[in-house]
Coordinates of all heavy atoms in Angstrom, one line a residue:
M16 N 38.7 -9.8 -8.2 CA 39.2 -8.4 -8.1 C 39.4 -7.9 -9.5 O 40.0 -8.5 -10.3 CB 40.6 -8.5 -7.4 CG 41.1 -7.1 -7.1 SD 42.7 -7.3 -6.2 CE 43.6 -6.0 -7.0
R17 N 38.9 -6.7 -9.7 CA 38.9 -6.1 -11.1 C 40.1 -5.2 -11.2 O 40.4 -4.4 -10.3 CB 37.6 -5.3 -11.3 CG 37.5 -4.6 -12.6 CD 37.5 -5.5 -13.8 NE 36.3 -6.3 -13.8 CZ 36.3 -7.5 -14.5 NH1 37.3 -7.9 -15.2 NH2 35.2 -8.2 -14.4
V18 N 40.9 -5.3 -12.3 CA 42.0 -4.4 -12.5 C 41.7 -3.7 -13.9 O 41.1 -4.2 -14.7 CB 43.3 -5.1 -12.5 CG1 43.7 -5.5 -11.1 CG2 43.4 -6.2 -13.5
Y19 N 42.2 -2.5 -13.9 CA 42.0 -1.7 -15.2 C 43.4 -1.2 -15.7 O 44.3 -0.9 -14.9 CB 41.1 -0.4 -14.9 CG 39.7 -0.8 -14.6 CD1 39.3 -1.0 -13.3 CD2 38.8 -1.1 -15.6 CE1 38.0 -1.4 -13.0 CE2 37.5 -1.4 -15.3 CZ 37.1 -1.6 -14.0 OH 35.8 -2.0 -13.7
C20 N 43.5 -1.2 -17.0 CA 44.7 -0.8 -17.7 C 44.8 0.7 -17.6 O 43.9 1.5 -17.9 CB 44.6 -1.2 -19.2 SG 46.0 -0.6 -20.1
K21 N 46.0 1.2 -17.1 CA 46.1 2.6 -17.0 C 46.4 3.3 -18.3 O 46.4 4.5 -18.4 CB 47.2 3.0 -16.0 CG 48.7 2.8 -16.5 CD 49.6 3.2 -15.4 CE 51.1 3.2 -15.9 NZ 51.3 4.4 -16.7
E22 N 46.8 2.5 -19.3 CA 47.0 3.1 -20.7 C 45.8 3.4 -21.5 O 45.6 4.5 -22.0 CB 47.9 2.1 -21.5 CG 49.3 1.9 -20.9 CD 50.1 3.2 -20.7 OE1 50.0 4.1 -21.5 OE2 50.9 3.2 -19.7
C23 N 44.9 2.4 -21.5 CA 43.6 2.6 -22.3 C 42.4 2.6 -21.5 O 41.3 2.9 -22.0 CB 43.5 1.4 -23.4 SG 43.1 -0.2 -22.7
G24 N 42.5 2.3 -20.2 CA 41.3 2.4 -19.3 C 40.4 1.1 -19.4 O 39.4 1.0 -18.7
G25 N 40.8 0.2 -20.2 CA 40.0 -1.1 -20.4 C 40.3 -2.0 -19.2 O 41.1 -1.8 -18.4
K26 N 39.5 -3.1 -19.3 CA 39.6 -4.1 -18.2 C 40.9 -4.9 -18.4 O 41.3 -5.2 -19.6 CB 38.4 -5.1 -18.3 CG 37.1 -4.5 -17.8 CD 36.0 -5.5 -17.9 CE 34.7 -4.9 -17.4 NZ 33.5 -5.8 -17.7
G27 N 41.4 -5.3 -17.3 CA 42.6 -6.2 -17.4 C 42.4 -7.4 -16.6 O 41.3 -7.6 -15.9
R28 N 43.2 -8.4 -16.8 CA 43.1 -9.6 -16.0 C 44.4 -9.9 -15.3 O 45.5 -9.5 -15.7 CB 42.8 -10.8 -16.9 CG 43.9 -11.3 -17.8 CD 43.5 -12.5 -18.7 NE 43.7 -13.7 -17.9 CZ 44.8 -14.5 -18.1 NH1 45.7 -14.1 -18.9 NH2 45.0 -15.6 -17.4
I29 N 44.3 -10.5 -14.1 CA 45.5 -10.9 -13.3 C 45.9 -12.2 -13.8 O 45.2 -13.2 -13.6 CB 45.1 -10.9 -11.8 CG1 44.7 -9.5 -11.3 CG2 46.4 -11.4 -11.0 CD1 44.0 -9.5 -10.0
A30 N 47.0 -12.3 -14.5 CA 47.5 -13.5 -15.1 C 48.2 -14.4 -14.0 O 48.0 -15.6 -14.0 CB 48.6 -13.2 -16.2
S31 N 48.9 -13.8 -13.1 CA 49.5 -14.6 -12.0 C 49.8 -13.7 -10.8 O 49.8 -12.5 -11.0 CB 50.7 -15.3 -12.5 OG 51.7 -14.4 -12.8
R32 N 50.0 -14.3 -9.7 CA 50.4 -13.5 -8.5 C 51.6 -14.1 -7.8 O 51.7 -15.3 -7.8 CB 49.2 -13.3 -7.6 CG 48.6 -14.6 -7.1 CD 47.3 -14.3 -6.4 NE 47.5 -13.7 -5.1 CZ 46.6 -12.9 -4.5 NH1 45.5 -12.7 -5.0 NH2 46.9 -12.4 -3.3
D33 N 52.5 -13.3 -7.3 CA 53.6 -13.7 -6.6 C 53.5 -13.3 -5.2 O 53.5 -12.1 -4.8 CB 54.9 -13.0 -7.3 CG 56.2 -13.7 -6.9 OD1 56.1 -14.7 -6.2 OD2 57.2 -13.2 -7.3
E34 N 53.2 -14.3 -4.3 CA 52.9 -14.1 -2.9 C 54.2 -13.9 -2.2 O 54.9 -14.9 -1.9 CB 52.1 -15.3 -2.4 CG 51.1 -15.0 -1.3 CD 49.8 -14.4 -1.9 OE1 49.4 -14.9 -3.0 OE2 49.2 -13.6 -1.2
L35 N 54.6 -12.7 -2.0 CA 55.9 -12.5 -1.3 C 55.8 -12.6 0.2 O 56.8 -13.0 0.9 CB 56.5 -11.1 -1.7 CG 56.8 -11.0 -3.2 CD1 57.3 -9.6 -3.5 CD2 57.8 -12.0 -3.7
S36 N 54.7 -12.3 0.8 CA 54.4 -12.6 2.2 C 52.9 -12.6 2.4 O 52.2 -12.4 1.4 CB 55.1 -11.5 3.0 OG 54.3 -10.3 3.0
R37 N 52.5 -12.8 3.6 CA 51.0 -12.8 3.8 C 50.4 -11.4 3.6 O 49.2 -11.2 3.5 CB 50.8 -13.2 5.3 CG 50.8 -14.7 5.5 CD 50.3 -15.0 6.8 NE 50.5 -16.4 7.2 CZ 49.9 -16.9 8.2 NH1 49.1 -16.3 9.0 NH2 50.2 -18.2 8.5
E38 N 51.3 -10.4 3.6 CA 50.8 -9.0 3.5 C 51.2 -8.3 2.2 O 50.9 -7.2 2.0 CB 51.3 -8.2 4.7 CG 50.8 -8.7 6.0 CD 51.2 -7.8 7.2 OE1 51.8 -6.7 6.9 OE2 50.9 -8.2 8.3
F39 N 51.9 -9.0 1.4 CA 52.3 -8.4 0.1 C 52.4 -9.4 -1.0 O 52.9 -10.5 -0.9 CB 53.7 -7.8 0.4 CG 54.2 -7.0 -0.8 CD1 54.0 -5.6 -0.8 CD2 54.9 -7.5 -1.8 CE1 54.4 -4.8 -1.9 CE2 55.4 -6.8 -2.9 CZ 55.1 -5.4 -2.9
A40 N 51.7 -9.0 -2.1 CA 51.7 -9.8 -3.3 C 51.9 -8.9 -4.6 O 51.5 -7.8 -4.6 CB 50.4 -10.6 -3.5
R41 N 52.6 -9.5 -5.5 CA 52.8 -8.8 -6.8 C 51.8 -9.4 -7.8 O 51.7 -10.7 -7.9 CB 54.2 -9.0 -7.4 CG 55.2 -8.1 -6.9 CD 56.4 -8.2 -7.8 NE 57.6 -8.1 -7.0 CZ 58.1 -7.1 -6.4 NH1 57.4 -5.9 -6.4 NH2 59.2 -7.1 -5.7
L42 N 51.0 -8.6 -8.4 CA 50.0 -9.1 -9.4 C 50.5 -8.8 -10.8 O 50.7 -7.6 -11.1 CB 48.6 -8.4 -9.1 CG 48.0 -8.4 -7.7 CD1 46.7 -7.6 -7.7 CD2 47.8 -9.9 -7.3
Y43 N 50.6 -9.8 -11.6 CA 51.0 -9.7 -13.0 C 49.7 -9.6 -13.8 O 48.9 -10.5 -13.9 CB 51.9 -10.8 -13.4 CG 53.2 -10.8 -12.7 CD1 53.4 -11.4 -11.4 CD2 54.3 -10.2 -13.3 CE1 54.6 -11.3 -10.8 CE2 55.5 -10.1 -12.6 CZ 55.7 -10.7 -11.4 OH 56.9 -10.6 -10.7
C44 N 49.5 -8.4 -14.4 CA 48.3 -8.1 -15.1 C 48.5 -7.9 -16.6 O 49.6 -7.4 -17.0 CB 47.7 -6.8 -14.5 SG 47.6 -6.8 -12.7
Q45 N 47.4 -8.2 -17.3 CA 47.4 -8.0 -18.8 C 46.1 -7.3 -19.2 O 45.1 -7.6 -18.7 CB 47.4 -9.4 -19.5 CG 48.7 -10.2 -19.3 CD 48.6 -11.6 -19.8 OE1 47.5 -12.1 -20.0 NE2 49.7 -12.2 -19.9
C46 N 46.3 -6.3 -20.1 CA 45.1 -5.6 -20.6 C 44.4 -6.6 -21.6 O 45.0 -7.3 -22.3 CB 45.6 -4.4 -21.4 SG 44.2 -3.5 -22.1
L47 N 43.1 -6.6 -21.5 CA 42.3 -7.5 -22.3 C 42.0 -7.0 -23.7 O 41.5 -7.7 -24.6 CB 41.0 -7.9 -21.6 CG 41.1 -8.7 -20.3 CD1 39.8 -8.9 -19.6 CD2 41.7 -10.1 -20.7
S48 N 42.3 -5.7 -23.9 CA 42.1 -5.1 -25.2 C 43.2 -5.5 -26.2 O 44.3 -5.2 -25.9 CB 42.0 -3.6 -25.1 OG 42.2 -3.0 -26.4
P49 N 42.8 -6.2 -27.3 CA 43.8 -6.7 -28.2 C 44.6 -5.5 -28.9 O 45.7 -5.6 -29.3 CB 43.1 -7.5 -29.3 CG 41.6 -7.5 -28.9 CD 41.5 -6.6 -27.7
A50 N 43.9 -4.3 -28.9 CA 44.5 -3.2 -29.6 C 45.5 -2.5 -28.7 O 46.3 -1.7 -29.1 CB 43.4 -2.2 -29.9
C51 N 45.5 -2.9 -27.4 CA 46.4 -2.3 -26.4 C 47.6 -3.2 -26.1 O 48.7 -3.0 -26.4 CB 45.6 -1.9 -25.2 SG 46.7 -1.2 -23.9
G52 N 47.2 -4.3 -25.4 CA 48.3 -5.3 -25.1 C 49.2 -4.9 -24.0 O 50.2 -5.6 -23.8
H53 N 48.9 -3.9 -23.2 CA 49.7 -3.5 -22.1 C 49.8 -4.6 -21.0 O 48.7 -5.2 -20.7 CB 49.2 -2.2 -21.5 CG 49.9 -1.6 -20.4 ND1 49.3 -1.1 -19.3 CD2 51.2 -1.5 -20.1 CE1 50.2 -0.6 -18.4 NE2 51.4 -0.9 -18.9
S54 N 50.9 -4.8 -20.5 CA 51.0 -5.7 -19.3 C 51.8 -5.0 -18.3 O 52.7 -4.2 -18.6 CB 51.6 -7.1 -19.7 OG 53.0 -6.9 -20.1
W55 N 51.4 -5.3 -17.0 CA 52.0 -4.5 -15.9 C 52.0 -5.3 -14.6 O 51.4 -6.4 -14.5 CB 51.3 -3.2 -15.7 CG 49.9 -3.3 -15.2 CD1 49.5 -3.1 -13.9 CD2 48.7 -3.5 -15.9 NE1 48.2 -3.3 -13.8 CE2 47.6 -3.5 -15.0 CE3 48.4 -3.7 -17.3 CZ2 46.3 -3.7 -15.4 CZ3 47.1 -4.0 -17.7 CH2 46.1 -4.0 -16.7
V56 N 52.7 -4.8 -13.6 CA 52.7 -5.4 -12.3 C 52.1 -4.4 -11.3 O 52.4 -3.2 -11.3 CB 54.2 -5.7 -11.8 CG1 54.2 -6.3 -10.4 CG2 54.8 -6.7 -12.8
A57 N 51.1 -4.9 -10.5 CA 50.5 -4.1 -9.5 C 50.9 -4.7 -8.1 O 51.1 -6.0 -8.0 CB 49.0 -4.1 -9.6
N58 N 51.0 -3.9 -7.1 CA 51.3 -4.4 -5.8 C 50.0 -4.5 -4.9 O 49.2 -3.5 -5.0 CB 52.3 -3.6 -5.0 CG 53.6 -3.6 -5.7 OD1 54.0 -4.6 -6.3 ND2 54.4 -2.6 -5.5
L59 N 49.8 -5.6 -4.2 CA 48.6 -5.7 -3.3 C 49.2 -5.8 -1.9 O 50.0 -6.8 -1.6 CB 47.9 -7.0 -3.7 CG 46.6 -7.3 -2.9 CD1 45.5 -6.3 -3.1 CD2 46.1 -8.7 -3.3
T60 N 48.9 -4.9 -1.1 CA 49.4 -4.9 0.3 C 48.3 -4.8 1.3 O 47.3 -4.2 1.1 CB 50.4 -3.7 0.5 OG1 49.6 -2.5 0.4 CG2 51.5 -3.7 -0.5
F61 N 48.6 -5.3 2.4 CA 47.7 -5.2 3.6 C 47.8 -3.7 4.0 O 48.9 -3.2 4.1 CB 48.2 -6.1 4.7 CG 47.5 -5.9 6.0 CD1 46.2 -6.5 6.2 CD2 48.0 -5.1 7.0 CE1 45.6 -6.3 7.4 CE2 47.4 -4.9 8.2 CZ 46.1 -5.5 8.4
S62 N 46.7 -3.2 4.4 CA 46.7 -1.8 4.9 C 46.5 -1.7 6.4 O 47.5 -1.5 7.1 CB 45.6 -1.0 4.2 OG 45.5 0.3 4.7
H63 N 45.3 -2.0 6.9 CA 45.1 -1.9 8.3 C 43.9 -2.7 8.7 O 43.0 -3.0 7.9 CB 45.0 -0.5 8.8 CG 43.9 0.3 8.2 ND1 44.0 0.9 7.0 CD2 42.6 0.5 8.6 CE1 42.8 1.4 6.7 NE2 42.0 1.3 7.7
T64 N 43.9 -3.1 10.0 CA 42.8 -4.0 10.5 C 41.6 -3.1 10.8 O 41.7 -2.0 11.4 CB 43.3 -4.7 11.8 OG1 44.3 -5.6 11.4 CG2 42.2 -5.5 12.5
L65 N 40.4 -3.6 10.5 CA 39.2 -2.9 10.9 C 38.6 -3.5 12.1 O 38.1 -2.8 13.0 CB 38.1 -2.9 9.7 CG 38.5 -2.1 8.5 CD1 37.5 -2.4 7.4 CD2 38.5 -0.6 8.8
S66 N 38.6 -4.8 12.2 CA 38.1 -5.6 13.3 C 39.1 -6.7 13.6 O 39.4 -7.5 12.7 CB 36.7 -6.1 13.0 OG 36.3 -7.0 13.9
P67 N 39.6 -6.8 14.8 CA 40.6 -7.8 15.1 C 40.1 -9.3 14.9 O 38.9 -9.5 15.2 CB 41.1 -7.5 16.5 CG 39.9 -6.9 17.1 CD 39.2 -6.1 16.0
S68 N 41.0 -10.2 14.5 CA 40.7 -11.6 14.4 C 40.5 -12.1 15.8 O 41.1 -11.7 16.8 CB 41.9 -12.3 13.8 OG 41.8 -13.7 14.1
A69 N 39.5 -13.1 15.9 CA 39.3 -13.7 17.2 C 40.5 -14.5 17.7 O 40.7 -14.7 18.9 CB 38.1 -14.6 17.1
Q70 N 41.3 -14.8 16.7 CA 42.5 -15.6 17.0 C 43.7 -14.7 17.5 O 44.6 -15.2 18.1 CB 43.0 -16.4 15.8 CG 42.0 -17.4 15.3 CD 42.4 -18.1 14.0 OE1 43.3 -17.5 13.3 NE2 41.9 -19.2 13.7
A71 N 43.5 -13.4 17.3 CA 44.6 -12.4 17.6 C 44.9 -12.4 19.1 O 46.1 -12.4 19.5 CB 44.3 -11.1 17.1
V72 N 43.9 -12.5 19.9 CA 44.1 -12.5 21.4 C 44.9 -13.7 21.9 O 45.8 -13.6 22.6 CB 42.8 -12.3 22.1 CG1 43.0 -12.4 23.6 CG2 42.1 -11.0 21.8
D73 N 44.5 -14.9 21.3 CA 45.1 -16.1 21.7 C 46.6 -16.1 21.3 O 47.5 -16.5 22.0 CB 44.5 -17.3 21.0 CG 43.1 -17.7 21.6 OD1 42.8 -17.1 22.6 OD2 42.4 -18.5 21.0
R74 N 46.8 -15.5 20.1 CA 48.2 -15.5 19.5 C 49.0 -14.5 20.4 O 50.2 -14.8 20.7 CB 48.2 -15.1 18.1 CG 49.5 -15.3 17.3 CD 49.3 -15.3 15.8 NE 48.6 -14.1 15.4 CZ 47.6 -14.1 14.6 NH1 47.0 -15.2 14.2 NH2 47.0 -12.9 14.2
L75 N 48.4 -13.4 20.7 CA 49.1 -12.4 21.5 C 49.6 -13.0 22.9 O 50.7 -12.9 23.3 CB 48.2 -11.2 21.8 CG 48.9 -10.0 22.4 CD1 49.8 -9.3 21.4 CD2 47.8 -9.0 22.9
L76 N 48.6 -13.7 23.5 CA 48.9 -14.4 24.7 C 50.0 -15.4 24.6 O 51.0 -15.5 25.4 CB 47.6 -15.1 25.2 CG 47.6 -15.6 26.7 CD1 47.8 -14.4 27.6 CD2 46.3 -16.3 26.9
F77 N 49.9 -16.2 23.5 CA 51.0 -17.2 23.3 C 52.3 -16.6 23.1 O 53.3 -17.0 23.6 CB 50.6 -18.1 22.0 CG 51.6 -19.1 21.7 CD1 51.6 -20.3 22.4 CD2 52.5 -18.9 20.7 CE1 52.5 -21.3 22.1 CE2 53.4 -19.9 20.4 CZ 53.4 -21.1 21.1
D78 N 52.4 -15.5 22.3 CA 53.6 -14.8 22.0 C 54.2 -14.3 23.3 O 55.4 -14.4 23.5 CB 53.5 -13.7 21.0 CG 53.2 -14.3 19.6 OD1 53.5 -15.5 19.4 OD2 52.8 -13.5 18.7
R79 N 53.4 -13.7 24.1 CA 53.9 -13.2 25.4 C 54.4 -14.3 26.3 O 55.5 -14.1 26.9 CB 52.7 -12.5 26.2 CG 52.2 -11.2 25.5 CD 53.2 -10.0 25.6 NE 53.4 -9.7 27.0 CZ 52.6 -8.9 27.7 NH1 51.6 -8.3 27.2 NH2 52.9 -8.6 29.0
L80 N 53.7 -15.4 26.3 CA 54.2 -16.6 27.1 C 55.5 -17.1 26.6 O 56.4 -17.4 27.4 CB 53.1 -17.7 27.1 CG 51.9 -17.4 27.9 CD1 50.9 -18.5 27.7 CD2 52.2 -17.4 29.4
R81 N 55.6 -17.2 25.3 CA 56.9 -17.7 24.7 C 58.1 -16.8 25.0 O 59.2 -17.3 25.1 CB 56.7 -17.8 23.2 CG 57.6 -18.7 22.5 CD 57.4 -18.8 21.0 NE 57.2 -17.4 20.5 CZ 56.7 -17.2 19.3 NH1 56.3 -18.1 18.5 NH2 56.5 -15.9 18.9
D82 N 57.8 -15.5 25.1 CA 58.9 -14.6 25.4 C 59.4 -14.6 26.8 O 60.4 -14.1 27.1 CB 58.5 -13.1 25.0 CG 58.3 -12.9 23.5 OD1 58.8 -13.8 22.8 OD2 57.7 -12.0 23.1
L83 N 58.6 -15.2 27.7 CA 59.0 -15.4 29.1 C 60.2 -16.3 29.2 O 60.3 -17.2 28.4 CB 57.9 -15.9 30.0 CG 56.6 -15.0 30.1 CD1 55.6 -15.7 30.9 CD2 57.0 -13.7 30.8
S84 N 61.0 -16.2 30.3 CA 62.1 -17.1 30.5 C 61.4 -18.5 31.0 O 60.3 -18.5 31.4 CB 63.0 -16.6 31.6 OG 62.4 -16.6 32.8
R85 N 62.2 -19.5 30.9 CA 61.7 -20.9 31.3 C 61.2 -20.8 32.8 O 60.2 -21.4 33.1 CB 62.9 -21.9 31.2 CG 63.1 -22.4 29.8 CD 62.0 -23.3 29.3 NE 62.1 -23.6 27.9 CZ 61.1 -24.0 27.2 NH1 59.9 -24.2 27.7 NH2 61.2 -24.2 25.9
S86 N 62.0 -20.2 33.6 CA 61.6 -20.1 35.1 C 60.3 -19.3 35.3 O 59.5 -19.7 36.1 CB 62.8 -19.6 35.9 OG 63.1 -18.3 35.5
Q87 N 60.2 -18.3 34.5 CA 58.9 -17.5 34.6 C 57.7 -18.3 34.1 O 56.7 -18.3 34.7 CB 59.0 -16.2 33.7 CG 59.9 -15.1 34.4 CD 60.0 -13.9 33.5 OE1 60.4 -14.1 32.3 NE2 59.8 -12.7 34.0
Q88 N 58.0 -19.1 33.0 CA 56.9 -19.9 32.5 C 56.5 -21.0 33.5 O 55.3 -21.2 33.8 CB 57.4 -20.6 31.2 CG 57.5 -19.7 30.0 CD 58.0 -20.5 28.8 OE1 58.4 -21.6 28.8 NE2 58.0 -19.8 27.6
R89 N 57.5 -21.6 34.1 CA 57.3 -22.7 35.1 C 56.5 -22.1 36.3 O 55.5 -22.7 36.7 CB 58.6 -23.3 35.6 CG 58.5 -24.6 36.2 CD 59.8 -25.3 36.4 NE 60.4 -25.6 35.1 CZ 61.6 -25.2 34.7 NH1 62.3 -24.5 35.4 NH2 62.0 -25.6 33.5
E90 N 56.9 -20.9 36.7 CA 56.3 -20.3 37.9 C 54.8 -20.0 37.5 O 53.9 -20.3 38.3 CB 57.0 -18.9 38.1 CG 56.6 -18.3 39.5 CD 57.5 -17.0 39.7 OE1 58.7 -17.0 39.4 OE2 56.9 -16.1 40.2
L91 N 54.5 -19.5 36.3 CA 53.2 -19.2 35.9 C 52.3 -20.5 35.8 O 51.2 -20.5 36.3 CB 53.2 -18.5 34.5 CG 52.0 -17.8 34.0 CD1 51.7 -16.6 34.9 CD2 52.1 -17.4 32.6
F92 N 52.9 -21.5 35.2 CA 52.1 -22.8 35.1 C 51.9 -23.4 36.4 O 50.9 -24.1 36.6 CB 52.7 -23.7 34.0 CG 52.6 -23.2 32.6 CD1 53.7 -22.9 31.8 CD2 51.3 -22.9 32.1 CE1 53.5 -22.4 30.5 CE2 51.1 -22.5 30.8 CZ 52.3 -22.2 30.0
D93 N 52.9 -23.3 37.3 CA 52.7 -23.8 38.7 C 51.5 -23.1 39.3 O 50.7 -23.7 40.0 CB 53.9 -23.6 39.5 CG 55.0 -24.6 39.1 OD1 54.7 -25.5 38.4 OD2 56.2 -24.4 39.6
Q94 N 51.4 -21.8 39.1 CA 50.3 -21.0 39.7 C 49.0 -21.4 39.1 O 48.0 -21.6 39.8 CB 50.5 -19.5 39.5 CG 51.6 -18.9 40.4 CD 51.9 -17.4 40.1 OE1 51.2 -16.9 39.2 NE2 52.8 -16.9 40.7
L95 N 49.0 -21.6 37.8 CA 47.8 -22.0 37.1 C 47.3 -23.4 37.6 O 46.1 -23.6 37.8 CB 48.0 -22.0 35.6 CG 48.0 -20.6 34.9 CD1 48.5 -20.8 33.5 CD2 46.7 -19.9 35.0
G96 N 48.3 -24.3 37.7 CA 48.0 -25.6 38.2 C 47.5 -25.6 39.6 O 46.7 -26.5 40.0
A97 N 47.8 -24.6 40.4 CA 47.4 -24.5 41.8 C 46.0 -23.9 41.9 O 45.5 -24.0 43.0 CB 48.4 -23.7 42.5
L98 N 45.5 -23.4 40.8 CA 44.2 -22.8 40.9 C 43.1 -23.9 41.1 O 43.2 -25.0 40.5 CB 43.8 -22.1 39.6 CG 44.6 -20.8 39.3 CD1 44.2 -20.3 37.9 CD2 44.3 -19.7 40.3
P99 N 42.1 -23.6 41.9 CA 41.1 -24.6 42.1 C 40.3 -24.8 40.8 O 40.0 -23.8 40.1 CB 40.2 -24.0 43.2 CG 40.4 -22.5 43.1 CD 41.9 -22.4 42.7
S100 N 40.0 -26.0 40.4 CA 39.2 -26.2 39.2 C 37.8 -25.8 39.3 O 37.2 -26.0 40.4 CB 39.3 -27.7 38.8 OG 38.8 -28.5 39.8
I101 N 37.3 -25.2 38.3 CA 35.9 -24.8 38.3 C 35.0 -25.9 37.7 O 35.2 -26.3 36.6 CB 35.7 -23.5 37.5 CG1 36.6 -22.4 38.0 CG2 34.2 -23.0 37.5 CD1 37.0 -21.3 37.0
S102 N 34.0 -26.3 38.5 CA 33.1 -27.4 38.0 C 31.7 -27.1 38.4 O 31.4 -26.2 39.1 CB 33.5 -28.7 38.6 OG 33.6 -28.6 40.0
Ligands
ZN210 ZN1 45.1 -1.3 -22.2

């Protein structure tokens, strides 16, 4: 990922990153121009999904199941267990 110095317009480098969450990181940047020497922090954030992860549906289903009460879960699994197996 390329970063540019806002003071001189030159190329910068990301010296380190602080991963605050999966969706937010702080990038510690340094200008590569010796005549400038500007250093700064940029934020890298998740914006929005263009195409959903194949894992998203599984996770959604799992989260929904987990939110059910124990008795609702048992009822559901009893029903699933009662389904004829496809062979
Ligand atoms: Zn600079």
Side-chain angles (χ1 to χ4, degrees):
M16 186 179 142
R17 178 65 63 203
V18 290
Y19 292 94
C20 175
K21 79 178 186 75
E22 298 301 325
C23 72
K26 286 179 183 173
R28 68 179 275 265
I29 299 166
S31 66
R32 57 189 288 157
D33 197 2
E34 213 81 36
L35 297 178
S36 78
R37 282 193 190 189
E38 296 188 6
F39 187 89
R41 274 194 222 289
L42 307 177
Y43 291 85
C44 308
Q45 294 170 344
C46 180
L47 291 175
S48 164
C51 177
H53 180 220
S54 63
W55 69 97
V56 178
N58 292 333
L59 180 66
T60 62
F61 172 82
S62 174
H63 59 279
T64 296
L65 291 175
S66 170
S68 162
Q70 296 175 342
V72 175
D73 288 351
R74 195 162 53 231
L75 190 72
L76 192 62
F77 180 80
D78 288 346
R79 292 287 299 276
L80 286 172
R81 198 181 45 195
D82 290 343
L83 294 175
S84 70
R85 282 285 169 203
S86 60
Q87 283 174 313
Q88 288 177 352
R89 197 165 297 123
E90 196 176 317
L91 194 68
F92 288 122
D93 283 351
Q94 284 174 5
L95 287 171
L98 290 175
S100 59
I101 303 155
S102 56

